[in-house]
Amino acid sequence: MGASDFVNLPNIGASIRRKEDYRFLTGGGQYTDDITLANQSYAVFVRSPHAHANIKGIDTAAARAAPGVLGVFVGADVAADKLNGLPCGWLITSTDGTPMKEPPHPILAQGKVRYVGDHVAMVVAETLEQAKNAAELVEVDYDVLTAVVKVTDAARAAPLHDAAPDNHCYKWAIGDKAQVDAAFAAAAHVTKLDLVNNRLIPNAMEPRAVIGSYNRATDEYTLYVSNQNPHVERLLLTAFVMGLPEHKVRVIAPDVGGGFGSKIYLYAEDVCLTWAAKKLNRSIKWTAERSESFVSDAHGRDHVSHAEMALDKDGKFLALRVHTNANMGAYLSTFAPSIPTILYATLLAGQYTTPQIYVEVDAWFTNTAPVDAYRGAGRPEATYLLERLVTRAGWELGLAQDEIRRRNMITQFPYQTPVALQYDVGDFHSLINRANELADIAGLEQRKAASRASGKVRGIGYSSYIEACGLAPSNIAGALGARAGLFECGEVRVHPTGSVTVFTGSHSHGQGHETTFAQVVAARLGIAVDQVDVVHGDTGRVPFGMGTYGSRSLAVGGSAIMKALDKIETKAKKIAAHLMEASDADVEFANGEFTIKGTDKKVTFGQVALTAYVPHNYPLDKLEPGLNETAFYDPTNFTFPAGTHICEVEIDPATGEVRVDRFTAVDDFGTIINPMIVAGQVHGGVAQGIGQALFERCVYDEESGQLLTGSMMDYAMPRAEDIPNFTLDTLSTPCSHNPLGSKGCGEAGAIGSPPAVINAVLDALKPLGVTEFDMPASPGRVWQAIESAKH
């Protein structure tokens, strides 16, 4: 079945209420911290208060003697048991052909700490209170060293790792530098821009949590963890760190309260609790406090870039060149090296026909928390840089924001970009035209006049983004440095009564998989959505899977389910043919019924399902009983969601307060299964993008390396009153290479919105003399920019 046939099935495109919401709204959800195992104990981590220091000694005697303490573990214990450090899942090769610097990342510090929050010791006790009290008794003798937190200072700072004495991780590049330089030499106009993509702290509603358990009778481990990809967690834990057989470890990720990328990775806490559970023969729980999450969860973004665009006299793009310094933090997190390279530079073509692009990326180690994928993962960074640059070029050439984009938009597909990607389909002009219409651009001048009358200024900003979702085919990903496959698995198990259970390797942590996947299966089989249950997040029940990130769930996970459904339909037709005494080549299936071409014979899907398990009248010589199929799907290309976002802001110059008055988003997500769920994903993404643009900024003290934004008192996140009602619409060009025609929607809002907001802020501030501004546009920073422009 092709995407064009699929989109016309019942339940496809229906805004069905999420099946999972009843248990969440009634308190029936089960998160990792809700689970209490028999004989359970509790862990507390002793974390470094210093950003950079040698460990001269650790005295654990008092802690070991404290009431209720079962064990105290330090780096020496890890080394004695020969546990490996946390692995990095992506290898980047430098421009000189050498592999990136990949220093060890011990699960408990060995000889040195490298950021505030680094793991020094783990205390396990009967109760959480006892563990906390004992942790305070661990005495660590530190020799404090100088710290570096800014990526632009890393080259001149004291080395963090012996393996990287200059703190340089890699230099990576893509594109033809000579061709780009030639285009710039012949350009009629060059636009230049320096900008910072501010570091963010993910702050999922549910903090990370872990329970490690061990069964001596079977020599098996069970790890409950708040994680986005349990099979990858198990693979990294067993094969690369602990050296355990995979079948002896079961990873269960129950309900997960948000991830945004920060729960993709294998963290030190996960390994420590699994390892210690066997040593103590006790189940051990650890749940992060919010302050721990601030210092220990992988952060996002943190780029400093210089970008230049070459244009001809008519405003056509000729070439783009970019240099980015990317902050890796103190260690390489699981997918960190791929974010500022493969997932960033390859998106810098955007929606435009720029003939030549050259991008160079330097990655650096600093005394800060590791940086990895955060909602959008490289795509927001690319879109922010490109859309800020395009807007700046338009202003310099006297072209309207929509006009400079239209002059350069791709119109012919497939389109090969100069930075590796090939877009299969799209209609970018329709997206920007519809966004203009919904944003009421015609009434903008009237609204600006009303703002001026009240002593305020108003501006409008555009962002026309494209993203690559689903990640690449495994063979291409491998060639680009991925150390794992990027396929997905789906199992469809039809029960004798005709109901269905789906087992998917994709993991839901707010995306609504239990509803969307059920709609897909119900549509194909012609059964009610309520007859389909979806199981995810358990390596003991799901055959395999690569998890949820990169807006891959429906495009890749859903496609695996579709392939399994193809097998189900093929077998079911043979069973139906036998029941109707016909050839299976003559059997047609639609709306839950099997019919014979040219006759009135028919049997229902329920009848076939029962026959498969009660095979009294069954082709046993040709078919095994049962109706259960598994399939793997490896994508042949990325999918390419795209859209235009338009933001309108009003600013009070007296206070610097920025108010988002209107926000319009028109997106192309290909085939949409559930419009309500898609709208919810866009709402959440845009809210996070507005958060980065106006409020959020992770700040470390430049001398001590202390995290200055270590709580909600210091790290501002958007509240409901900061977010306007959104105007949303979708236009669809179905993906050409997956059976659903879907493209992914989970990250789009966070990709398109930050440049739209900042472009609007700068548009409003132009009359006041402010020409450049980096995120976040918080009131104090905006007010300072206005005051500085007066002098």
Side-chain angles (χ1 to χ4, degrees), residues 766-780:
K766 274 193 301 179
L768 303 179
V770 178
T771 58
E772 277 308 323
F773 200 90
D774 279 318
M775 299 183 286
S778 56

Side-chain angles (χ1 to χ4, degrees), residues 194-199 302-305 384 388 692 774-775:
D194 291 297
L195 49 79
V196 174
N197 205 295
N198 40 322
R199 179 184 280 240
D302 207 344
H303 286 188
V304 176
S305 299
Y384 182 69
R388 285 284 312 278
Q692 175 172 14
D774 279 318
M775 299 183 286

Side-chain angles (χ1 to χ4, degrees), residues 245-263:
E246 270 190 277
H247 70 283
K248 289 294 186 180
V249 178
R250 180 181 182 184
V251 176
I252 301 172
D255 290 326
V256 172
F260 314 121
S262 69
K263 294 177 181 174

Side-chain angles (χ1 to χ4, degrees), residues 524-659:
R524 276 294 304 270
L525 299 181
I527 61 178
V529 173
D530 288 344
Q531 287 185 272
V532 183
D533 283 335
V534 176
V535 175
H536 59 89
D538 186 345
T539 64
R541 301 182 68 187
V542 176
F544 203 81
M546 301 308 294
T548 294
Y549 44 85
S551 299
R552 71 189 299 271
S553 296
L554 188 61
V556 185
S559 293
I561 293 169
M562 285 287 281
K563 288 187 67 175
L565 286 168
D566 289 342
K567 296 180 181 180
I568 292 286
E569 183 176 326
T570 299
K571 183 173 182 179
K573 281 182 175 179
K574 293 179 179 179
I575 299 171
H578 180 83
L579 291 175
M580 293 183 285
E581 300 179 333
S583 167
D584 60 292
D586 296 326
V587 176
E588 296 179 332
F589 179 59
N591 299 319
E593 292 182 337
F594 297 89
T595 57
I596 304 299
K597 297 175 187 175
T599 75
D600 60 357
K601 288 184 176 182
K602 66 180 180 180
V603 294
T604 66
F605 179 76
Q607 288 175 275
V608 170
L610 183 61
T611 300
Y613 289 96
V614 186
H616 297 162
N617 181 18
Y618 195 81
L620 288 171
D621 58 328
K622 298 179 181 178
L623 296 176
E624 297 176 348
L627 200 52
N628 179 28
E629 296 288 351
T630 300
F632 288 77
Y633 175 76
D634 202 345
T636 58
N637 192 5
F638 292 93
T639 67
F640 298 99
T644 288
H645 291 186
I646 301 177
C647 178
E648 194 169 320
V649 302
E650 187 178 62
I651 301 175
D652 184 348
T655 64
E657 182 182 2
V658 179
R659 181 176 67 89

Side-chain angles (χ1 to χ4, degrees), residues 195-198 200 299-303 305 322 324 326 339-340 343-345 347-348 371-388 692 750-751 754-755 775:
L195 49 79
V196 174
N197 205 295
N198 40 322
L200 301 177
H299 293 171
R301 317 291 192 242
D302 207 344
H303 286 188
S305 299
V322 176
T324 292
I339 309 306
L343 297 179
Y344 163 70
L347 268 297
L348 283 169
V371 175
D372 210 318
Y374 173 73
R375 197 171 192 168
R379 284 71 57 86
E381 294 91 318
T383 299
Y384 182 69
L385 181 146
L386 183 60
E387 290 303 295
R388 285 284 312 278
Q692 175 172 14
I751 293 169
M775 299 183 286

Side-chain angles (χ1 to χ4, degrees), residues 182-219:
F184 269 85
H189 180 83
V190 174
T191 294
K192 299 181 179 181
L193 188 62
D194 291 297
L195 49 79
V196 174
N197 205 295
N198 40 322
R199 179 184 280 240
L200 301 177
I201 298 174
N203 271 314
M205 185 176 291
E206 177 208 19
R208 288 190 295 119
V210 185
I211 305 174
S213 182
Y214 176 72
N215 186 323
R216 286 195 187 279
T218 60
D219 192 30

